[in-house]
Amino acid sequence: DEDERKERIWHLTQMFEDMDKSREGIIHPAELQAYLVDPEKAAQFAMMCRISVRSIAGLLEMLFHDGTNYFTLDCFLDCLTDVAEPVTENSLMKLDGQIKATAARTDRGL
């Protein structure tokens, strides 16, 4: 429900701030991986994302697959808050919109 989602966002925000050792407002893959070396923190991260600890490596591979070398808080929350939610028509429409926006930005850049 919405209260659980707000609580998850709060916890993920706290984790992001703990990971952001440079205090730049962004986290790099190395900062995220260093944070997740601690088994307790990895378990907490998995619990907040509602995935298994075993699934963290696959999630990180997916997040950084395109060469992204940092995440802002907004992007971090957007990617992880609802990662375990089932696919719905609404989530597909959101994804479609993101793909179209990316394609439009790419077209303008050519």
Side-chain angles (χ1 to χ4, degrees):
D1 82 346
E2 192 59 30
D3 289 337
E4 289 175 0
R5 187 173 191 280
K6 286 178 183 178
E7 184 176 344
R8 193 166 46 258
I9 289 170
W10 184 86
H11 282 289
L12 286 169
T13 300
Q14 298 307 307
M15 284 183 202
F16 181 93
E17 291 173 357
D18 193 28
M19 289 177 211
D20 182 19
K21 299 297 182 193
S22 64
R23 299 294 177 235
E24 296 175 291
I26 59 174
I27 56 170
H28 299 276
E31 289 174 307
L32 182 55
Q33 290 169 338
Y35 182 85
L36 296 173
V37 166
D38 180 329
E40 188 175 312
K41 289 179 179 178
Q44 183 183 23
F45 180 83
M47 185 180 73
M48 283 300 108
C49 295
R50 298 178 301 156
I51 61 172
S52 68
V53 173
R54 289 187 324 269
S55 299
I56 291 175
L59 176 64
L60 296 180
E61 184 178 312
M62 181 183 69
L63 291 174
F64 296 110
H65 79 283
D66 64 352
T68 300
N69 61 359
Y70 69 89
F71 277 97
T72 62
L73 175 60
D74 289 340
C75 186
F76 182 79
L77 293 175
D78 191 43
C79 291
L80 300 176
T81 300
D82 298 318
V83 73
E85 290 296 319
V87 176
T88 64
E89 184 71 25
N90 188 40
S91 62
L92 290 174
M93 290 184 336
K94 179 180 176 183
L95 181 59
D96 185 51
Q98 291 171 339
I99 290 169
K100 288 177 181 174
T102 301
R105 282 193 305 275
T106 302
D107 289 345
R108 284 192 304 267
L110 295 178

